[in-house]
Amino acid sequence: MTPIPTVVLTGTIGVGKTTLAESITELLNENGIRYAFIDLDGLGQVYPAPDPLDPHNMALQLRNLATIWPNYVSAGVERAVIAAALEAASQFAELQIAMPGAESTLIRVVAASDTVAARIKARDHGALLGDFLSRTNALARTISDAFPDEITVDNDNVTPTVAALTVLEKLDWRLDS
């Protein structure tokens, strides 16, 4: 089996992981490259969390990923783009186990805290707004501490397309292949 190049975009709440992933997949699609786009957060949306020791349902997200990944492989995906708020190296290792045949590269997406706060305020409401605003800076530090040596892409003051092209360049993913 040929390895499937996979990018895992991680970063804090509101940094633009999903928007960036969507922009990457638009470029892949425009170039006829079959891809899978997986927003890991969406695979774990059960509230309140069933496990108080896993308040963001990461274990559920990873179990669900392991369940659906073979379907993407059988569909012949050539690339995979994952958006995920991974907080520890062990979570990245578990993600890799859940995706046999994927050749994963982790990219840490960053932006200024005021940009992140503005994005959260623009998209979220109610209890989520307060929760996300209160957690985002600490989560950014946790992710930075967990993955200090990973590739970083600045997603501040650039368009999603420019950020996506930066990611593709860092990955050396050619759009003509």
Side-chain angles (χ1 to χ4, degrees), residues 18 48 68 70 75 78 82 99 104 117 124 133 139 142 166 172:
T18 301
I68 66 171
E78 301 168 67
I82 313 290
M99 300 175 67
S104 300
D124 294 303
L133 286 172
L139 180 57
T142 297
T166 301
D172 197 26

Side-chain angles (χ1 to χ4, degrees), residues 5 17 30 33-35 70 92 113 133 143 162 167:
K17 299 177 299 292
E30 288 170 7
I33 299 170
R34 183 171 290 136
Y35 65 86
F92 183 55
S113 60
L133 286 172
I143 292 169
V162 168
V167 169

Side-chain angles (χ1 to χ4, degrees), residues 37-47 50 56-69 72 81-84 95 98-99:
F37 166 54
I38 303 168
D39 187 346
L40 212 57
D41 285 344
L43 297 182
Q45 291 190 357
V46 175
Y47 303 102
H56 308 297
N57 295 324
M58 183 55 70
L60 177 62
Q61 292 175 41
L62 294 169
R63 282 194 314 273
N64 286 339
L65 176 62
T67 300
I68 66 171
W69 178 246
Y72 288 113
V81 181
I82 313 290
L95 181 139
M99 300 175 67

Side-chain angles (χ1 to χ4, degrees), residues 79-135:
R79 302 278 191 280
V81 181
I82 313 290
L86 302 177
E87 298 181 49
S90 61
Q91 292 174 339
F92 183 55
E94 291 172 34
L95 181 139
Q96 292 176 298
I97 291 167
M99 300 175 67
E103 190 173 85
S104 300
T105 301
L106 185 75
I107 292 187
R108 197 163 43 89
V109 182
V110 298
S113 60
D114 59 334
T115 300
V116 170
R119 289 175 180 164
I120 292 169
K121 289 174 184 175
R123 72 164 202 218
D124 294 303
H125 315 300
L128 283 179
L129 175 63
D131 177 49
F132 289 169
L133 286 172
S134 70
R135 288 193 300 124

